[in-house]
Amino acid sequence: MSEVSLPRVCFATLLTTDSYLHGALTLAASLRETGTKYKIICLVAEGQLSKPALERLSSAFDRVVSVPVLDTHDYANLALLGRPDLGATVTKIAVWSLTEYDRVAFLDADTLVLEPIDSILENAADGSGSGGRPNGGMQNEGLLAAAPDLGWPDCFNSGVFVAKPSESTHANLLKMLATQGSFDGGDQGLLNAYFNDWSRADHTHRLPFSYNTTSTSFYTYAPAFARFSSDIKVVHFIGPHKPWKHQRLITGYIMGNSKGLSKFVEKWWHIHDAHVSFWSPGILFDKLIALSLSDSFKPVTEEAAEEVVAIGSHAMDDSWKRDGSDYLSVDESRATANDDWGSFTPAPDFMLSSGSSSPTRSTGSPRSS
Ligand code: GLC
Ligand code: MN
């Protein structure tokens, strides 16, 4: 009997710190729940994750690939973004080095898959373009499809995209990182600078927004959310608040219970509890309260949440009530950037040496200049 050979494609995510572990595990479980026929791999920043975290990843993913850690250390632009913790996300460009695959569908660890999405690995632009334009109208090769970013829709959001790995694209991205950096200090600024004509390319390069529905859309365009929310295939919990960063019972509240997001936060917890761990990555307190309230966990109510908040929590940041934004001011973001669960391992000291073609690892010795 001959085996049916699958195309050389896969889903991938990236972890640069233990603090996103439950995000990655829940993402993988959500993708498996859709019955995907493709492999799911996890890129891990070399030397950054604990042994227990790596063990969990090895059993949840088909493959764990260690990749060199990169970091912009560009605190000025990261401050503009309001996320000082995102410098190491440029490690993501390792996706283009995975030349054993023809296509890689990348999903951030803070995404949750709700519906089957295998088709993005099958139907995404193949680079030839449908309108007869070479490479579908894009100057640089390597990006097959992405969805717009809500903050600046001529940019794509780099939390979900389909890439065509290639040595030369990878080398070009490393070079751009070393010579120009990233305009937002993270991967999205770099990738949008490299693939800067994405918004003018043929439609085959554009993923529907339902493949990367960023959580801010729930309150920036509520009527569209009401109209299209049943189409959402991938929800992306952007911003500093993540489901796993708060106790279960108050997550929906913290992340905007009244704004439509809570059902997706509930879904995240449902998949987390069923496949990753019964225990919250936060403290157990929330689960105990939930058990005492009902036989099964009920959706969060504002009153219940308020009560828990009143009792006390590490997650008492109410900044979302003030500005309704996912991107906080730098000070607010700093206050929430570090988790208080899991072992947060700071990235080692990497610096971009100007003029060199690739970012270099600094040695333990003091910098000479
Ligand atoms: C956006 C993207 C995310 C990226 C960040 C920094 O939030 O969704 O993937 O890491 O920008 O560039
Ligand atoms: Mn993200």
Side-chain angles (χ1 to χ4, degrees), residues 20 83 92 108-111 157-159 212 236-239 242:
Y20 275 58
R83 296 294 304 279
K92 196 184 279 184
D108 269 3
D110 58 352
T111 60
N157 183 284
S158 60
N212 183 4
H236 184 179
F237 300 109
I238 63 167
K242 309 296 183 194

Side-chain angles (χ1 to χ4, degrees), residues 213-258:
T213 309
T214 42
S215 37
T216 37
S217 55
F218 299 13
Y219 36 86
T220 50
Y221 195 7
F225 175 70
R227 170 72 179 77
F228 300 117
S229 67
S230 59
D231 296 342
I232 297 176
K233 295 183 178 358
V234 180
V235 63
H236 184 179
F237 300 109
I238 63 167
H241 294 299
K242 309 296 183 194
W244 61 88
K245 282 194 172 188
H246 304 289
Q247 297 169 40
R248 184 181 196 280
L249 266 184
I250 61 168
T251 316
Y253 178 78
I254 296 284
M255 294 179 68
N257 193 36
S258 55

